[in-house]
Amino acid sequence: PNHVFISGTVNLGDFVGSVAGEVVQIELRAFNGSILDSIPNVTLTNAGAFSVSTAIEGNAYVRVRGRTWCAQTNGYFNLVAGNNSAGVFNLDNGDADHSGEVDAADIDQVIAGFGGLVSQPGYDIDADLDGSGEVDAADIDITIANFGALDG
């Protein structure tokens, strides 16, 4: 089969930590929403860039989801053998429980982890939404600012 390469850039909203090494999941979806290919554990560069390969050719939406970021779907691309650009994905932060929506459960999770430090046992990396190494007021602010955001 021909190899299809897809590249793009991910902007992780409300994140002050290092983007390098953050992991996203990329899905290729048909017009009806069915998943054609799922590529987990895609590591971003410091600039948020990614590049993946797939055997899927033809029309597909490209969907990206981060650890605590709601998914965004871009375009309806005609994927061909060779290089394909999926553009820029701007992801809303705050989905600490990975439910696909920033809601009260996410605020509860951040509050439960409040005061936790990366150097301490019990630190909840998913509650540290901004990647600062501490679960603090900034993380609560992120859930409030993005309350209602949904996977797209």
Side-chain angles (χ1 to χ4, degrees):
N2 293 324
H3 284 286
V4 175
F5 298 96
I6 304 167
S7 62
T9 303
V10 178
N11 293 323
L12 299 176
D14 300 305
F15 193 67
V16 300
S18 174
V19 175
E22 282 294 315
V23 173
V24 297
Q25 176 179 344
I26 297 177
E27 292 177 347
L28 304 179
R29 292 186 171 224
F31 185 75
N32 67 5
S34 64
I35 297 173
L36 302 171
D37 195 4
S38 181
I39 307 162
N41 303 318
V42 177
T43 303
L44 300 177
T45 68
N46 194 49
F50 70 85
S51 181
V52 296
S53 65
T54 181
I56 302 297
E57 291 187 63
N59 294 327
Y61 291 102
V62 179
R63 184 175 192 251
V64 175
R65 187 179 206 300
R67 180 174 41 83
T68 61
W69 291 270
C70 291
Q72 181 187 345
T73 303
N74 274 6
Y76 193 55
F77 300 100
N78 182 21
L79 301 174
V80 297
N83 296 323
N84 299 265
S85 175
V88 177
F89 296 81
N90 296 304
L91 305 186
D92 291 328
N93 200 351
D95 188 16
D97 67 355
H98 315 275
S99 67
E101 177 180 11
V102 181
D103 57 15
D106 300 303
I107 293 172
D108 291 345
Q109 183 169 337
V110 172
I111 290 171
F114 194 82
L117 298 170
V118 69
S119 60
Q120 295 176 335
Y123 165 76
D124 183 356
I125 190 171
D126 292 333
D128 183 12
L129 298 170
D130 66 0
S132 67
E134 178 181 6
V135 181
D136 56 17
D139 302 304
I140 293 172
D141 291 345
I142 290 168
T143 57
I144 293 169
N146 294 323
F147 194 85
L150 299 168
D151 278 352

